[in-house]
Amino acid sequence: MEGQYSEKVMEHFRDPHNVGEIPDASGIGNVGNPVCGDIMRLYIKVDDKEVITDAKFKTFGCGAAIATSSMVTDLVKGRTIDEALRISNMAVAEALGGLPKIKMHCSVLAEEALRSAINDYMDKKKKKSAG
Ligand code: FES
């Protein structure tokens, strides 16, 4: 089974980066895959220049979901919101050295979690500026 996965995927699965929560997060994304039942929660901290200064996650899911959560949180740190919105699940999978075809949907979960956290951040910002 392990042979299907790249060394990088195994590395991030065994020792995931950025696991945890951000108590005063600027945005939180919650997503789930109804088919496999895996869930992911992703936290981002954004500064006033719209740069993501920190990202953390909690994932209850398969190895590929954990590895892609770990990679996506690594990838967004230091990026602006605009740049982060352009990170696709393909980019995450590529950064991990590829994923088996039947595991690509796990990287989609990571992309959706990121989008959902960014949407939450934008909603909160809108509400703030509305008074
Ligand atoms: Fe559910 Fe991987 S099998 S996200």
Side-chain angles (χ1 to χ4, degrees), residues 33 36-38 62 64-65 103 105-106 109:
N33 182 318
C36 61
D38 293 348
C62 73
K103 286 285 165 186
H105 73 272
C106 317
L109 202 61

Side-chain angles (χ1 to χ4, degrees), residues 17 19 29 35 41-42 69 85 88-89 100-101 111 126:
H17 307 170
V19 176
V35 180
R41 176 172 290 180
L42 198 149
S69 309
L85 278 172
S88 67
N89 76 300
K101 237 198 192 121
E111 180 188 314
K126 238 186 264 159

Side-chain angles (χ1 to χ4, degrees), residues 2-130:
E2 272 197 22
Q4 293 187 18
Y5 291 107
S6 72
E7 201 34 56
K8 201 115 209 140
V9 172
M10 291 312 294
E11 225 176 87
H12 280 261
F13 170 60
R14 284 195 203 104
D15 185 18
H17 307 170
N18 317 308
V19 176
E21 316 179 13
I22 302 179
D24 58 340
S26 317
I28 302 174
N30 281 304
V31 290
N33 182 318
V35 180
C36 61
D38 293 348
I39 52 176
M40 206 180 268
R41 176 172 290 180
L42 198 149
Y43 303 80
I44 51 170
K45 184 84 190 151
V46 184
D47 71 8
D48 50 10
K49 290 188 185 72
E50 301 248 290
V51 174
I52 299 174
T53 54
D54 200 8
K56 289 204 187 305
F57 78 91
K58 279 195 159 170
T59 291
F60 186 83
C62 73
I66 291 168
T68 50
S69 309
S70 171
M71 183 49 88
V72 84
T73 45
D74 268 358
L75 287 175
V76 294
K77 278 200 231 174
R79 308 257 185 137
T80 63
I81 289 291
D82 275 355
E83 287 166 348
L85 278 172
R86 287 199 291 267
I87 297 175
S88 67
N89 76 300
M90 293 301 286
V92 176
E94 240 163 64
L96 283 168
L99 277 173
K101 237 198 192 121
I102 56 160
K103 286 285 165 186
M104 276 313 280
H105 73 272
C106 317
S107 64
V108 173
L109 202 61
E111 180 188 314
E112 284 174 353
L114 174 62
R115 295 270 146 86
S116 160
I118 292 175
N119 283 341
D120 183 47
Y121 158 72
M122 292 203 218
D123 277 356
K124 285 189 177 128
K125 203 173 93 174
K126 238 186 264 159
K127 274 185 205 139
K128 231 193 238 166
S129 64

